Amino acid sequence: MVIKKWLPALASAAAILIQLLIASNGNHPQADADYYLYVSIAGGVIALMCAAASHLHKGFDKIWSFKAPFWTGVIVFFAILDILTEKFCILPAIYFPSPSRIFGAMVSDHALLAKCLGYSARLLLTGFFGGAIVGILTGIAVGFSKAADYWISPIIRILGPIPSTAWIPLVLISFPSAVSASAFLIGLAVWFPTTVMTSSGIKNISNSLFEVSSTLGAGYFYRIFKVGVPSAMPSMFIGLFNGVCSSFITLMTAEMIGAKYGIGWYVNWQKEMMSYSNVYAGLIIIAVLCSLLITLLFKVRDKVLVWQKGVIKW
Amino acid sequence: MVGEINVKDVVQTFIQPDGSTLTALDHVNLNVKAGSFVSFIGPSGCGKTTLLRLIAGLTKPASGEITLDGEKIDGPHYERGLVFQNPTLFPWLSIYDNVAFGLKARKIYKDKKQEVSEYLSLVGLENFASSYPHQLSGGMAQRASLARALIGHPKVLLLDEPLGALDAFTRMNMQDELLRIRSEKSMTMIMVTHDVDEALYLSDKIVVMSPRPAKIEDIIDVKMFRPRQRNNPEFLRLRSQILKTLHYAGNEPEQEYVI
């Protein structure tokens, strides 16, 4: 279907026409510039180039044909939002800003947003990697050592199911700064699922793999790191994925408790100022950040678990 | 010639879930000559796999001892290679890396790299080096697991029903394959099986075991020339002898006279 590749470009054209031809409703506050129009034009140009490129390059054609309907949907969504807000003011103007105002908020607040993004990313990555590393190590210890299993498993069972944000009162007084406290909370949120999935992955390895490797001359540590860890990888990644998801939730909550900057803090602050276009701008940035991290995790997983291709689909 | 196994008065017991003790092997004595092919045959529960695992060193006997060339077996070692009924390949490693596993674990991979391809071609898998285990058929996976055990130059190769999960045709091919490998790389082979024909086709000596209490019932020397014919009169005679020992011969046919 040739038309499918051109759909995003057509949708952009339609979005631009709607903006140019339909007069704005006076009841909806105007943005200080036609930011949505610029975004639509930029999007339309990119869509045109992609459609043209897909006719020239076979590999890209495959990707673009698959993605084109999705991007069409995104463009149509913003066009409908535009109609419901700026054009006819059907939705309450305070809570539902027009796309122009959302993009405008990103432009006017870009310096602060970038700073907040940096703070959030730092906090999230410190917490995530800290929690993931400690989680994997704990999981390996619990999976292989009977003593570790005896002492650590009950702790996991008692502490694990408590949402890490419930520790806020305790953590706030025991950590020197709000940043370290928040990083710890995120780490805790990642640690639990990673530990549980890693250790259960190791415990489920068929014993014959270990027996075979010992008859091939593998020592104790070689068996742990070259047999135990790789075969627990698939469930380790499930743990990490759950960890990423709960780390986002914890990040947003943690930033609302005395952080100086951060996307969660920004969204909360702007909400209190009743400035909803900035709230949405922040939310869009959070969504992009989270989905980027998850995509990255999936890419790493596909690389590491290439041997699973054709065995398990998830 | 190396690879002589001596089983001296071995007793193996297991504690059952209800607390009682099960005697899995009751004072077993056995000598396996270096370079010979020996099969353990018997119904399930007769302790044949228990004995094989003891020789592999995966478990320790309750009493008695097993020696390889006079040295006491104390834990698993690459000089006693093991092949299970399931190929138990490492699913995250390519076939090449599976075969190379033992070399890498023993940190001699750098010096003996070329042996990996050598053993891959020995089992006819040179074109599948970069495949992953799940992409292989059952017979191919079992060959890979054979190559993985052979690359350690074991003095003894222990085979725990290695062909049990294969279809009849692949199975017969693999039997010839085993004999070919044995003639190329001289070693002792000990195989657990419950297929009487397979044991007769391959073995120099067949150890017939019986369950409850698990003990050696009979040791049969098979003195047929190779390649053996499965319909040879001697083959059939030994077959019925083994089945009789195992009480699977059925009732004697009633004599019928026609005048």
Side-chain angles (χ1 to χ4, degrees):
Chain A
M1 276 254 291
V2 180
I3 185 88
K4 200 162 119 187
K5 297 172 206 168
W6 295 90
L7 272 180
L10 288 175
S12 302
I16 294 166
L17 284 179
I18 290 170
Q19 288 169 71
L20 294 177
L21 297 181
I22 304 178
S24 298
N25 186 308
N27 289 331
H28 196 96
Q30 290 298 305
D32 48 357
D34 285 330
Y35 293 110
Y36 176 45
L37 186 62
Y38 307 148
V39 172
S40 303
I41 291 170
V45 170
I46 294 171
L48 274 177
M49 292 197 307
C50 287
S54 75
H55 280 279
L56 300 173
H57 190 275
K58 264 233 154 71
F60 183 73
D61 183 41
K62 218 172 170 184
I63 302 169
W64 181 247
S65 298
F66 181 69
K67 277 288 174 193
F70 171 76
W71 289 115
T72 312
V74 172
I75 295 162
V76 168
F77 170 79
F78 276 103
I80 291 174
L81 186 65
D82 188 38
I83 292 171
L84 292 178
T85 54
E86 193 177 319
K87 296 307 174 197
F88 294 104
C89 197
I90 294 167
L91 294 170
I94 301 181
Y95 300 113
F96 296 97
S98 64
S100 255
R101 282 169 63 210
I102 296 175
F103 291 124
M106 282 188 197
V107 173
S108 60
D109 250 5
H110 72 272
L112 181 59
L113 278 169
K115 194 170 182 181
C116 287
L117 185 63
Y119 268 75
S120 289
R122 194 187 63 175
L123 194 57
L124 186 67
L125 294 180
T126 326
F128 176 76
F129 282 109
I133 291 167
V134 176
I136 288 173
L137 292 180
T138 326
I140 292 173
V142 171
F144 279 111
S145 149
K146 282 219 170 74
D149 190 19
Y150 180 84
W151 289 107
I152 299 176
S153 284
I155 300 177
I156 298 172
R157 232 169 291 146
I158 295 165
L159 301 189
I162 303 173
S164 65
T165 45
W167 294 103
I168 285 175
L170 184 67
V171 165
L172 272 185
I173 54 160
S174 26
F175 276 82
S177 65
V179 175
S180 54
S182 312
F184 175 77
L185 288 178
I186 295 168
L188 194 64
V190 178
W191 170 79
F192 172 59
T194 311
T195 305
V196 171
M197 291 311 293
T198 304
S199 68
S200 87
I202 288 171
K203 284 177 189 168
N204 282 326
I205 301 170
S206 120
N207 200 32
S208 51
L209 282 184
F210 288 119
E211 290 183 344
V212 147
S213 58
S214 68
T215 64
L216 292 170
Y220 181 68
F221 286 104
Y222 199 86
R223 287 207 295 277
I224 290 182
F225 290 105
K226 295 290 177 167
V227 180
V229 173
S231 40
M233 274 299 181
S235 74
M236 229 182 259
F237 271 98
I238 296 175
L240 285 175
F241 177 72
N242 291 340
V244 168
C245 296
S246 50
S247 76
F248 295 146
I249 299 166
T250 313
L251 175 72
M252 292 304 128
T253 324
E255 281 186 342
M256 290 172 190
I257 52 152
K260 284 199 194 73
Y261 295 102
I263 294 287
W265 164 84
Y266 178 87
V267 168
N268 206 35
W269 174 51
Q270 295 296 338
K271 191 187 79 198
E272 277 162 20
M273 310 261 291
M274 291 299 277
S275 156
Y276 275 84
S277 47
N278 296 64
V279 170
Y280 287 111
L283 288 179
I284 289 174
I285 290 173
I286 292 171
V288 171
L289 174 71
C290 297
S291 75
L292 270 181
L293 276 179
I294 289 185
T295 313
L296 195 71
L297 186 69
F298 276 17
K299 289 268 183 248
V300 174
R301 183 204 68 192
D302 290 346
K303 192 102 190 155
V304 174
L305 299 186
V306 65
W307 54 275
Q308 274 205 322
K309 245 184 193 168
V311 184
I312 296 169
K313 276 244 163 70
W314 57 288
Chain B
M1 205 65 161
V2 289
E4 181 176 355
I5 294 277
N6 253 310
V7 179
K8 282 177 222 154
D9 216 21
V10 161
V11 176
Q12 178 68 316
T13 51
F14 294 115
I15 311 275
Q16 287 189 301
D18 63 2
S20 63
T21 312
L22 174 86
T23 307
L25 287 173
D26 194 11
H27 297 281
V28 169
N29 285 286
L30 180 69
N31 171 265
V32 176
K33 286 210 171 53
S36 61
F37 196 120
V38 174
S39 291
F40 297 166
I41 198 165
S44 43
C46 70
K48 53 194 193 300
T49 295
T50 308
L51 185 54
L52 196 81
R53 288 174 63 85
L54 284 169
I55 298 173
L58 293 172
T59 44
K60 296 207 166 97
S63 73
E65 69 168 14
I66 304 176
T67 56
L68 168 59
D69 293 331
E71 261 176 68
K72 192 180 170 192
I73 289 172
D74 188 31
H77 196 280
Y78 57 85
E79 65 186 20
R80 279 165 278 121
L82 180 63
V83 177
F84 284 116
Q85 176 172 10
N86 296 319
T88 51
L89 295 170
F90 305 112
W92 60 92
L93 295 179
S94 66
I95 298 308
Y96 181 95
D97 287 328
N98 261 288
V99 174
F101 184 91
L103 298 182
K104 284 179 180 167
R106 288 159 54 201
K107 304 197 170 48
I108 52 168
Y109 173 67
K110 270 192 189 140
D111 305 327
K112 304 207 166 181
K113 228 179 237 178
Q114 77 291 344
E115 286 196 10
V116 180
S117 357
E118 184 193 315
Y119 277 90
L120 278 172
S121 22
L122 179 74
V123 295
L125 287 177
E126 58 273 34
N127 295 329
F128 294 89
S130 55
S131 304
Y132 282 97
H134 70 86
Q135 296 166 316
L136 264 57
S137 71
M140 281 152 80
Q142 198 56 286
R143 280 163 206 263
S145 123
L146 198 59
R148 184 178 60 175
L150 289 171
I151 203 166
H153 298 282
K155 294 176 182 170
V156 184
L157 185 66
L158 304 167
L159 304 149
D160 189 359
E161 292 180 44
L163 314 180
L166 304 179
D167 66 85
F169 297 106
T170 318
R171 198 175 173 132
M172 285 195 267
N173 281 332
M174 289 287 284
Q175 290 170 357
D176 289 329
E177 202 97 324
L178 274 176
L179 291 176
R180 180 178 62 81
I181 288 167
R182 199 174 72 110
S183 64
E184 269 182 51
K185 323 257 168 198
S186 64
M187 67 184 78
T188 312
M189 285 188 177
I190 301 179
M191 180 169 80
V192 161
T193 181
H194 37 224
D195 182 340
V196 180
D197 285 12
E198 183 170 278
L200 278 168
Y201 187 72
L202 296 171
S203 320
D204 300 315
K205 209 180 240 189
I206 299 176
V207 178
V208 186
M209 300 174 80
S210 68
R212 283 173 289 276
K215 61 177 194 297
I216 293 177
E217 200 71 43
D218 196 6
I219 296 178
I220 293 167
D221 281 306
V222 187
K223 289 196 181 102
M224 286 181 280
F225 292 111
R226 290 194 171 94
R228 290 174 181 166
Q229 298 301 318
R230 289 170 214 261
N231 54 2
N232 172 315
E234 172 72 358
F235 195 102
L236 297 176
R237 189 187 67 78
L238 287 171
R239 187 172 185 273
S240 60
Q241 184 189 335
I242 292 169
L243 287 175
K244 198 171 262 172
T245 313
L246 292 170
H247 310 291
Y248 283 98
N251 298 322
E252 294 272 332
E254 271 187 49
Q255 299 280 320
E256 210 175 316
Y257 300 98
V258 180
I259 305 167

